Amino acid sequence: MKEVKNPKKPLIYYYCIVMAIVLLFNIFITPMLTHSQVVEVSYDTFMDMIDEENVGVVQVEDTEILFTDRDGAVVYKTAPMNDPTLTERLHDSGAEFMRVIEEPISPIWSFLLTFVLPILIFAALGRYMSKKLIEQAGGGKNSMAFGMGKSNVKVYVQSTKGIKFDDVAGEDEAKESLAEVVDYLHNPQKYSEVGASMPKGILLVGPPGTGKTMLAKAVAGEANVPFFSISGSEFVEMFVGMGASKVRDLFSQAKEKAPCIVFIDEIDAIGQKRSSGGGYGGNDEREQTLNQLLTEMDGFEENTGVIILAATNRPESLDHALTRPGRFDRRVPVELPDLAGREAILRVHARKIKTAQDVDFRTVARMAAGASGAELANIINEAALRAVRSGRTVVTQADLEESIEVVIAGYQKKNAILSTDEKLVVAYHEIGHALVAAKQTNSAPVQKITIIPRTSGALGYTMQVDTGDKYLLAKDELEDKIATYTGGRAAEEVVFGRITTGASNDIEQATKLARAMITRYGMSEDFDMVAMETVQNQYLGGDAALACSPATQQEIDRKVVELVKRQHEKAKSILVENREKLDKLARFLFEKETITGEEFMNILSGGENK
Ligand code: ADP
Ligand code: ZN
């Protein structure tokens, strides 16, 4: 499928063209039109020519004297002097007094050329540019005037290369529920015979980069129907009144092309809950757009063959009117991929690149825990780029592993200089995390530790790898996790007796987790199973809203501190007990900068059998 795009050129590009035209005009055209081949000579030469009786026609003006030679072939020009006898002498030499040069260009023409023409050029270009602007903003090709344009809903031209369900790896549940839509689009009679009707709208719900757009395209690809796509944010972009007319337009186009798929990305941009008081400005505009969308959705008959798919990562912020039966009444969750899903996505994208024989996608998938489909696609691409940079023709396992870190942690900062002291502190800090993790039986083993600074600002990090995806975490596992977070700072304290700013992210993570345990997971004795916080927005990291009295709030804060403190102490005692191994591991990491989980476990168990 090919998306038709308007070429976007920066405004400065058009300005440059106009400036060039104006300059050319002034430098070349204007002088050519007014005075053609006039030779400027000195007054002396003029005098000499009079004496030689070689002056043909002469025209004396206040600012210049124009004259020709006897043959009239060349026009000369000179500056006038205070010369009272000039006229007499000229007369004597037989020169004729008359206009030497016909004004080659009438005043009206010169006015037109120098003033009106440039203005016309400017106006034409201006019109052209503003049209471009409207198109870019969504006015569309046929826009007649501001606010009355056709929308720039993009129609994807079908081709055999269309995206199919096979291209979307993992997401089996989502595919299953969308397969019904495909079947319906293939033969709608089957459904109407029974009296069943397809939902008009289906909401794809999930975090960014999980393949929602891909799934929508795949439905169109599988059903072999046209695909219209527009983003919610485009509706509310520019001119007042445009959003609603765009919606109207979108639906009239879609109805013409039915059966078809209409895909609205980021529907939360228009579909947010309407304010009760009635807003001003942009808010008002958004509500008009939303109302139009609701009207259109109610307006068309069921079974017209127009299926609207919409994507959002904030389903709870949508206006209830949108999610009501008859509108977007079906929800398809599109979640982050699990281990098997990640492996499948890696394999799908690896089809496009050349990989070495020994590449192990399972290991890569394991290391990329928490990555979205888009990130995994990016990892494959980064690995391919890395292979090219090092002059190889195939992508190796090392390329893939390195690019995980690139995508997840930012590019390696090769030239960032850490002083030796700092590097040692970072080494101890990271080993602190790893050792605490490894010593608590419930913590995931360590995969890789590195103290090569990254552009993301992390000075080093410990990559823990879950052996499988975990959906349920026990209280003690969560506590161990907190202890692991505090392990870095604990190592600094135990070894150097002095603390640094390096633990700021750890502190944040530990606090978040401890807080959630108390307020949301019901893991403290005092509050039992009472929800102290409710999560508003779980797909964007979760903004928790407090649901308790200020007094309880204080109590919660105290509990959080207590919990973290207990785990911090635990981490410290683990490190003190294993001081010898801590030193050994930290030294080793300091030397090598990057150590693998295997090397780590070797050293750890090597010292075990005393
Ligand atoms: P969303 O719409 O959910 O934000 P997209 O559909 O735009 O995500 O996905 C972005 C890119 O990520 C896709 O073009 C594709 O390359 C990759 N991707 C995401 N999920 C998957 C998946 N399940 N299988 C294969 N590729 C995926
Ligand atoms: Zn840390």
Side-chain angles (χ1 to χ4, degrees):
M1 300 195 183
K2 271 256 144 51
E3 186 178 333
V4 192
K5 276 212 165 137
N6 299 320
K8 291 185 185 174
K9 296 228 172 74
L11 265 185
I12 188 87
Y13 172 85
Y14 298 105
Y15 282 124
C16 284
I17 291 181
V18 173
M19 288 322 288
I21 290 173
V22 171
L23 269 178
L24 280 175
F25 205 88
N26 281 331
I27 293 174
F28 297 108
I29 315 284
T30 315
M32 245 163 66
L33 285 173
T34 46
H35 292 258
S36 45
Q37 326 111 324
V38 175
V39 180
E40 185 151 14
V41 293
S42 70
Y43 200 77
D44 276 342
T45 320
F46 179 47
M47 286 291 142
D48 290 346
M49 283 174 74
I50 295 174
D51 291 345
E52 290 161 17
E53 302 196 338
N54 193 19
V55 174
V57 188
V58 68
Q59 170 188 343
V60 181
E61 288 180 355
D62 288 347
T63 52
E64 58 184 3
I65 299 171
L66 291 160
F67 60 99
T68 67
D69 54 7
R70 261 281 123 88
D71 313 329
V74 186
V75 178
Y76 298 90
K77 174 173 114 175
T78 190
M81 293 280 165
N82 189 7
D83 188 349
T85 63
L86 177 66
T87 320
E88 213 179 317
R89 271 187 297 135
L90 274 170
H91 183 70
D92 291 347
S93 77
E96 271 183 78
F97 291 92
M98 62 180 288
R99 293 198 90 138
V100 178
I101 298 163
E102 277 304 310
E103 285 269 308
I105 185 161
S106 73
I108 291 178
W109 265 111
S110 89
F111 172 77
L112 284 177
L113 281 168
T114 46
F115 291 101
V116 181
L117 187 69
I119 289 173
L120 283 179
I121 292 176
F122 263 112
L125 264 154
R127 263 183 79 95
Y128 177 67
M129 283 190 294
S130 69
K131 216 173 117 188
K132 274 266 142 170
L133 264 179
I134 296 174
E135 268 171 34
Q136 284 173 13
K141 288 218 171 48
N142 310 327
S143 75
M144 297 165 287
F146 289 82
M148 311 205 283
K150 275 214 158 196
S151 68
N152 68 335
V153 177
K154 296 167 213 139
V155 183
Y156 286 81
V157 183
Q158 281 167 250
S159 78
T160 42
K161 288 190 299 172
I163 295 178
K164 293 283 165 67
F165 277 148
D166 276 351
D167 299 306
V168 188
E171 308 299 350
D172 292 330
E173 290 90 353
K175 280 194 262 184
E176 215 167 275
S177 56
L178 290 173
E180 197 184 8
V181 177
V182 175
D183 186 50
Y184 163 77
L185 289 169
H186 272 308
N187 50 40
Q189 318 86 279
K190 188 168 103 187
Y191 289 79
S192 52
E193 266 168 28
V194 186
S197 56
M198 248 314 117
K200 287 178 186 169
I202 297 174
L203 208 53
L204 302 171
V205 177
T210 46
K212 296 184 292 296
T213 311
M214 259 189 122
L215 278 166
K217 284 186 190 172
V219 171
E222 292 279 345
N224 212 26
V225 298
F227 180 72
F228 294 85
S229 105
I230 194 161
S231 167
S233 56
E234 280 173 51
F235 278 126
V236 279
E237 222 162 42
M238 211 168 175
F239 304 112
V240 180
M242 203 82 153
S245 84
K246 268 192 197 177
V247 173
R248 217 173 300 129
D249 231 59
L250 169 65
F251 279 88
S252 76
Q253 280 187 46
K255 274 183 264 183
E256 270 170 38
K257 290 267 164 43
C260 66
I261 297 287
V262 173
F263 178 63
I264 306 175
D265 203 357
E266 303 172 52
I267 195 170
D268 37 285
I270 42 166
Q272 262 173 46
K273 288 195 179 73
R274 281 167 293 188
S275 51
S276 45
Y280 293 98
N283 226 24
D284 221 20
E285 166 72 359
R286 211 197 60 226
E287 280 175 28
Q288 274 181 23
T289 311
L290 175 57
N291 286 335
Q292 187 64 38
L293 179 63
L294 297 175
T295 313
E296 291 289 347
M297 283 190 83
D298 293 341
F300 67 80
E301 301 293 309
E302 272 157 22
N303 295 334
T304 45
V306 180
I307 302 271
I308 308 158
L309 299 178
T312 180
N313 46 24
R314 317 163 52 175
E316 67 291 320
S317 75
L318 291 181
D319 199 296
H320 288 306
L322 260 181
T323 48
R324 216 178 68 189
R327 291 165 184 165
F328 290 99
D329 47 6
R330 188 182 285 189
R331 263 185 202 212
V332 175
V334 186
E335 299 291 351
L336 284 174
D338 57 7
L339 181 60
R342 289 199 300 273
E343 189 182 340
I345 294 172
L346 284 170
R347 283 184 191 282
V348 164
H349 287 277
R351 288 201 295 234
K352 286 173 264 169
I353 61 166
K354 281 196 194 136
T355 50
Q357 295 286 311
D358 62 339
V359 165
D360 179 6
F361 287 109
R362 165 101 352 182
T363 308
V364 179
R366 218 182 265 286
M367 290 171 78
S372 69
E375 279 162 343
L376 291 166
N378 201 4
I379 284 170
I380 295 281
N381 191 48
E382 281 292 338
L385 288 175
R386 208 177 101 96
V388 174
R389 271 202 295 274
S390 25
R392 271 177 282 108
T393 50
V394 291
V395 174
T396 63
Q397 182 77 12
D399 289 331
L400 286 164
E401 289 184 13
E402 174 63 21
S403 55
I404 292 176
E405 291 164 48
V406 168
V407 172
I408 293 175
Y411 283 91
Q412 242 183 48
K413 234 193 212 167
K414 284 262 159 50
N415 45 6
I417 300 169
L418 272 184
S419 71
T420 327
D421 290 347
E422 282 173 332
K423 206 169 123 187
L424 194 63
V425 174
V426 177
Y428 267 104
H429 179 105
E430 295 305 326
I431 293 293
H433 285 305
L435 194 55
V436 172
K439 280 290 162 189
Q440 298 170 125
T441 45
N442 291 318
S443 288
V446 182
Q447 175 84 31
K448 182 168 182 173
I449 310 168
T450 162
I451 52 167
I452 299 169
R454 306 275 147 167
T455 38
S456 67
L459 292 178
Y461 71 92
T462 302
M463 196 188 272
Q464 287 187 42
V465 176
D466 295 304
T467 29
D469 283 290
K470 283 220 149 182
Y471 298 104
L472 283 176
L473 286 164
K475 184 180 173 188
D476 56 335
E477 285 173 316
L478 289 176
E479 285 174 347
D480 289 350
K481 252 189 151 149
I482 296 176
T484 302
Y485 284 134
T486 62
R489 163 66 67 87
E492 292 178 32
E493 287 169 283
V494 169
V495 178
F496 303 101
R498 152 173 187 239
I499 55 180
T500 68
T501 53
S504 57
N505 185 48
D506 303 333
I507 291 171
E508 214 178 296
Q509 301 280 355
T511 312
K512 231 192 217 165
L513 189 52
R515 204 175 172 83
M517 282 176 72
I518 290 164
T519 60
R520 284 163 45 203
Y521 305 147
M523 287 179 176
S524 71
E525 289 82 22
D526 302 70
F527 299 125
D528 201 58
M529 284 186 61
V530 175
M532 299 298 165
E533 273 177 358
T534 48
V535 177
Q536 300 287 358
N537 191 345
Q538 60 167 320
Y539 285 106
L540 289 180
D543 313 325
L546 279 172
C548 57
S549 68
T552 318
Q553 231 163 309
Q554 272 184 2
E555 185 76 355
I556 291 172
D557 290 340
R558 234 194 51 235
K559 291 270 161 207
V560 171
V561 174
E562 231 167 62
L563 176 55
V564 174
K565 220 172 183 170
R566 215 178 314 126
Q567 298 310 317
H568 187 180
E569 289 304 322
K570 179 168 102 188
K572 266 200 271 190
S573 64
I574 289 176
L575 293 176
V576 170
E577 269 168 44
N578 297 279
R579 178 64 199 263
E580 206 184 312
K581 263 164 248 159
L582 174 63
D583 288 337
K584 214 168 174 180
L585 284 162
R587 280 279 153 202
F588 188 67
L589 177 60
F590 179 76
E591 294 296 329
K592 289 200 57 183
E593 294 198 340
T594 301
I595 64 175
T596 64
E598 225 171 294
E599 288 169 323
F600 178 88
M601 292 316 277
N602 277 343
I603 297 177
L604 191 59
S605 56
E608 202 79 72
N609 38 0
K610 33 185 164 172

